[in-house]
Amino acid sequence: MTTMESLIGLVNRIQMACTALGDYGGEDQTFSSLWDALPSVAVVGGQSSGKSSVLESIVGRDFLPRGSGIVTRRPLVLQLHKMDEGQQEYAEFAHLPDRQFTDFSLVRKEIQDETDRVTGKTKQISPVPIHLSIYSPNVVNLTLIDLPGLTKVAIEGQPESIAQDIETMVRSFVDKPNCIILAISPANQDIATSDAIKLSREVDPMGERTFGVLTKLDLMDKGTNALDVLEGKSYRLQHPWVGIVNRSQADINRNVDMILARQKEREYFATSPDYGHLASKMGSEYLAKLLSKHLESVIRARIPSITSLINKSIEELESELDHLGRPVAIDAGAQLYTILELCRAFDRIFKQHLDGGRPGGDR
Ligand code: GDP
Ligand code: NA
Ligand code: MG
């Protein structure tokens, strides 16, 4: 792993440990500012625009509930942790710390069950996040957040306020300047009506932290194409637009797996008369690479402030642990200790490799 990969991995683990601590010290200023200093990626868009499908493709595993209508009803904070080659991948929920999932269809079921546990088997939503970590050699270190889709009207079984409730929930994530926005718009709808663009434009007017993603290119009317959008002519962002072809509902029903889906997506772009010339900059694999590169540059730029925050945290953690008295039996103490160890590791790697005016000197 490169130094940046190690640092980003540590940032991820610090975030996760802060989350676990949330149950005990969620209001603690040190941890909320630590969390806010660390970047994450959230998907924003209308209902059924393909948000969950895009996240799944980035991860390269099938594990999210997807489908028509309101399927995602609680925020899912998903942390990807890169493992060394050859290690067995697994998933773990914060609410089930003693269980490692190696069967990803059970992960999907647990997300559904845990959603229902809070909201009932309804069409209601809850702002209480589900926290899931995936450990795998095939992922990049990233924190991704899946969110319910923006909607306009309440359907049967939903309160009248649902559209506003969802928007408030989505905003609570994307308002933060450290949040990278994946603005998902379906290509078979006019971009001028995109909920994703409308909201991201409000919270990120310069388009500095917004990645425009155009899904459902395969569902456009014959004889039309999305070149104006993909080439940034319809709506300009600082980052390039990425076109995506996810699995259709028929593919999902036929259990088309991720590997085949990615292959079909690659073929779609490579053979497309409209998009062939853009093929190397399209698709979910390219999007994943683009995001991790961006994340790396964000973290690189923030390293001085993250480092000083981490040093401050180390001091506060040490005094908090002294106050608790060591060894500490309760979970909160153990969690504080974990954070302290991770912060120290970050500081050590930073000093060894990046400190001393050589910000490019990694590896
Ligand atoms: P979300 O509600 O935004 O999370 O959207 P989902 O990922 O659950 O997808 C909604 C539906 O659209 C599912 O039936 C997907 O199979 C379908 N879908 C998503 N993206 C595409 C795409 O690029 N092409 C096709 N044909 N269908 C898609
Ligand atoms: Na949906
Ligand atoms: Mg969804």
Side-chain angles (χ1 to χ4, degrees), residues 117-345:
R117 235 165 260 146
V118 169
T119 61
K121 280 189 189 298
T122 62
K123 297 199 158 40
Q124 313 228 21
I125 58 156
S126 159
V128 181
I130 297 172
H131 289 276
L132 171 65
S133 284
I134 293 181
Y135 298 81
S136 164
N138 308 318
V139 298
V140 291
N141 290 309
L142 261 183
T143 298
L144 299 167
I145 302 167
D146 194 13
L147 291 167
L150 298 161
T151 175
K152 300 219 163 46
V153 291
I155 53 170
E156 190 59 38
Q158 291 180 332
E160 275 311 310
S161 60
I162 189 90
Q164 192 52 55
D165 295 346
I166 293 176
E167 188 175 323
T168 304
M169 186 201 299
V170 172
R171 275 180 192 275
S172 74
F173 288 90
V174 300
D175 269 343
K176 300 204 172 97
N178 70 327
C179 181
I180 295 159
I181 302 170
L182 277 191
I184 315 275
S185 309
N188 57 353
Q189 283 170 29
D190 197 328
I191 198 74
T193 65
S194 164
D195 299 306
I197 291 301
K198 183 166 175 282
L199 187 68
S200 61
R201 181 188 266 162
E202 277 180 51
V203 298
D204 176 31
M206 305 300 284
E208 286 165 339
R209 53 188 180 94
T210 300
F211 287 80
V213 177
L214 202 61
T215 56
K216 304 196 181 185
L217 286 169
D218 57 314
L219 296 183
M220 288 185 79
D221 286 336
K222 289 255 175 317
T224 64
N225 67 49
L227 278 177
D228 276 356
V229 176
L230 293 176
E231 289 173 347
K233 290 178 192 144
S234 302
Y235 184 68
R236 179 163 289 283
L237 293 165
Q238 306 273 335
H239 303 285
W241 279 80
V242 180
I244 297 276
V245 177
N246 290 313
R247 279 167 290 187
S248 64
Q249 189 59 47
D251 290 336
I252 292 173
N253 298 345
R254 279 188 289 131
N255 276 322
V256 169
D257 71 20
M258 182 63 68
I259 296 174
L260 186 59
R262 281 186 160 179
Q263 192 183 325
K264 281 171 72 175
E265 187 187 38
R266 267 198 305 274
E267 273 165 25
Y268 176 88
F269 286 111
T271 61
S272 160
D274 291 321
Y275 313 120
H277 64 296
L278 297 172
S280 66
K281 300 193 157 164
M282 294 286 131
S284 6
E285 280 165 284
Y286 180 73
L287 178 62
K289 284 199 197 107
L290 197 65
L291 277 178
S292 75
K293 240 176 81 187
H294 177 67
L295 203 71
E296 189 172 310
S297 75
V298 169
I299 293 188
R300 202 182 278 279
R302 297 237 177 101
I303 275 182
S305 62
I306 294 177
T307 312
S308 71
L309 201 59
I310 280 180
N311 280 322
K312 184 168 156 269
S313 306
I314 290 176
E315 275 169 37
E316 288 184 21
L317 283 165
E318 280 172 341
S319 78
E320 202 153 333
L321 280 168
D322 280 345
H323 178 74
L324 285 174
R326 271 177 266 196
V328 276
I330 55 165
D331 284 355
Q335 213 46 255
L336 286 172
Y337 197 71
T338 304
I339 297 175
L340 177 59
E341 285 305 306
L342 292 169
C343 288
R344 281 181 179 149

Side-chain angles (χ1 to χ4, degrees), residues 47-48 66-72:
Q47 228 169 66
S48 296
R66 295 148 309 179
S68 58
I70 181 154
V71 176
T72 309

Side-chain angles (χ1 to χ4, degrees), residues 61-65 93 99 101-113 255:
R61 291 301 305 236
D62 304 87
F63 65 99
L64 287 176
F93 288 94
R99 186 157 164 216
F101 290 74
T102 48
D103 177 347
F104 280 73
S105 64
L106 295 179
V107 173
R108 172 179 293 131
K109 184 167 183 312
E110 182 55 34
I111 295 172
Q112 280 159 345
D113 291 350
N255 276 322

